[in-house]
Amino acid sequence: MKLHDVSWPTQSELERGLVAWLDTLPGASWLTLPGRDQSRHRVVVTLLHGNEPSGTKALWHFFHQPFECAVTTHFCLANVNAALFDTPFSTRHLENKPDMNRCFGRNGDDDSYDVAAAIMARIRALKPEAVVDIHNTSGSGPSFAVTIVDDEKHRHVSSLFTERMLCSSVRLGALMEQTSEETPILTIECGGAQDIAADEVAKNGLHHFLHADDIFQNHTGFWPLDLLYHPVRVQLKLELELCYHDRKVDEADLTLPPDIDRHNFGWMAADSMIGWLGAKGLDAMTTNDGEGGHPIDALFYEQDGELRLKQASKLFMITTRRDIALSDCLFYMVVD
């Protein structure tokens, strides 16, 4: 499986619309736009998840108006097939395929691993100044960047898009885990896939990323970053039952309120109730912070069947999509 080099859409393709243009692409696609300084490169990756459209919508916005990049910029639209499946932008990855953003730096039989390897081969050959991988969260919430390195380069690029940067030790096979001192690679979570504000985050951030002559300088007028460290990934164990309801569902191993995503990036006090546990209690859940710490009973406790926080915590990437909560995670959290 290779990346297909494709051209900027024609005027007639622009008039037919974004989905119609995506339907003309042969698969994972790569576009290159020469910049004022053609000796330097930057890379924008989007659509690693087919249900996260803000990056592609932002790119489509720029297609409609002539613009000049400060340096030669490359755009990768990775999982076009998933984006077009069924209702456009509703499918994270095809049912018989792995999550493409779990295939970087890993081997597997599916051609999604080949696409991931091809993306990284291009990045290594170009030696770009920076790579941004643009995503949406599955639940509603504010934007944030995710990195595995906390240094000035990652902070400066993050600040082009958002006011929050999360430094994680969790390793899942994501593109951002291939970061290096020479080429910082960041995930940009623009906000919920259904949030209009998320499209604006992608559009405004890309404008800064494409036009700035120096993306590593202090950008006047930008908010200082809120830095968060050591997020914990919280999951329901395999083959267990998850429900979203405003009361406990007896048959479920975990019941979460249907509006739980309203807590995204808000501090919750110790003893706050998160949901309801089933017969397995806390044993139904598991955690991963990438460092072997934060066991489930250090973060939560059960009281009269209710799941409660042991200490003040900030939850984020909370989803109310049951399929994603089960295949990926319930949410991430950092503790006070």
Side-chain angles (χ1 to χ4, degrees):
M1 171 65 69
K2 67 174 184 177
L3 290 173
H4 302 274
D5 289 285
V6 299
S7 301
W8 221 245
T10 65
Q11 184 59 41
S12 62
E13 287 173 328
L14 289 173
E15 291 171 357
R16 286 199 294 272
L18 171 57
V19 172
W21 176 69
L22 288 175
D23 199 37
T24 69
L25 300 182
S29 297
W30 190 275
L31 299 86
T32 297
L33 185 64
R36 293 190 298 273
D37 182 347
Q38 297 188 27
S39 68
R40 294 186 287 150
H41 300 266
R42 296 170 193 165
V43 173
V44 177
V45 178
T46 191
L47 275 192
L48 277 172
H49 293 144
N51 64 330
E52 300 176 6
S54 285
T56 307
K57 289 180 178 179
L59 183 57
W60 190 249
H61 165 80
F62 288 114
F63 284 159
H64 280 81
Q65 49 184 335
F67 69 99
E68 187 179 43
C69 295
V71 309
T72 296
T73 306
H74 308 263
F75 304 88
C76 177
L77 290 87
N79 205 339
V80 175
N81 292 337
L84 292 173
F85 182 75
D86 196 20
T87 302
F89 304 123
S90 66
T91 302
R92 183 180 176 93
H93 58 87
L94 298 180
E95 188 174 351
N96 61 337
K97 296 280 189 180
D99 183 326
M100 194 176 287
N101 204 32
R102 303 293 181 263
C103 297
F104 288 89
R106 300 184 176 187
N107 297 316
D109 295 333
D110 191 87
D111 60 12
S112 298
Y113 293 91
D114 299 330
V115 173
I119 292 171
M120 281 312 306
R122 294 257 185 145
I123 289 171
R124 292 190 180 106
L126 289 168
K127 298 180 180 178
E129 295 178 330
V131 179
V132 292
D133 177 23
I134 302 181
H135 287 260
N136 290 101
T137 52
S138 300
S140 185
S143 63
F144 58 99
V146 189
T147 73
I148 64 167
V149 176
D150 176 21
D151 63 14
E152 289 300 313
K153 283 189 174 182
H154 288 80
R155 290 188 185 191
H156 283 309
V157 177
S158 294
S159 71
L160 296 173
F161 288 84
T162 183
E163 303 162 26
R164 306 164 193 86
M165 190 182 93
L166 182 70
C167 191
S168 176
S169 299
V170 177
R171 301 293 184 267
L172 300 170
L175 172 57
M176 67 166 185
E177 295 164 23
Q178 303 301 307
T179 195
S180 68
E181 185 176 352
E182 184 178 51
T183 300
I185 304 177
L186 305 85
T187 293
I188 304 295
E189 297 282 358
C190 295
Q194 307 302 319
D195 297 346
I196 295 175
D199 297 343
E200 292 301 311
V201 168
K203 188 190 307 180
N204 293 333
L206 269 186
H207 173 83
H208 299 310
F209 186 74
L210 300 177
H211 288 274
D213 287 318
D214 184 354
I215 54 175
F216 301 124
Q217 68 179 2
N218 287 318
H219 306 288
T220 58
F222 286 28
W223 291 98
L225 281 175
D226 178 15
L227 298 171
L228 298 169
Y229 299 96
H230 309 302
V232 183
R233 179 179 168 90
V234 181
Q235 295 175 282
L236 193 67
K237 290 181 179 177
L238 293 175
E239 308 300 328
L240 297 188
E241 185 62 37
L242 170 68
C243 286
Y244 290 90
H245 207 286
D246 57 8
R247 59 170 178 78
K248 180 177 180 178
V249 176
D250 291 336
E251 298 78 15
D253 297 289
L254 176 65
T255 305
L256 296 175
D259 62 348
I260 189 173
D261 59 348
R262 66 189 173 89
H263 294 298
N264 266 319
F265 266 100
W267 280 108
M268 300 182 71
D271 304 312
S272 293
M273 197 271 284
I274 301 294
W276 299 269
L277 292 163
K280 292 182 175 60
L282 288 178
D283 192 50
M285 300 168 65
T286 185
T287 62
N288 175 16
D289 67 356
E291 299 175 346
H294 294 97
I296 196 74
D297 59 2
L299 300 172
F300 303 96
Y301 68 93
E302 182 177 6
Q303 180 176 301
D304 299 326
E306 296 177 344
L307 176 66
R308 292 183 174 270
L309 291 174
K310 270 198 169 177
Q311 53 194 310
S313 306
K314 181 173 285 191
L315 277 58
F316 53 95
M317 292 191 75
I318 308 169
T319 180
T320 56
R321 278 192 54 169
R322 181 177 176 276
D323 57 335
I324 294 176
L326 290 174
S327 64
D328 190 41
C329 70
L330 300 167
F331 50 80
Y332 284 79
M333 63 188 295
V334 292
V335 296
D336 193 2

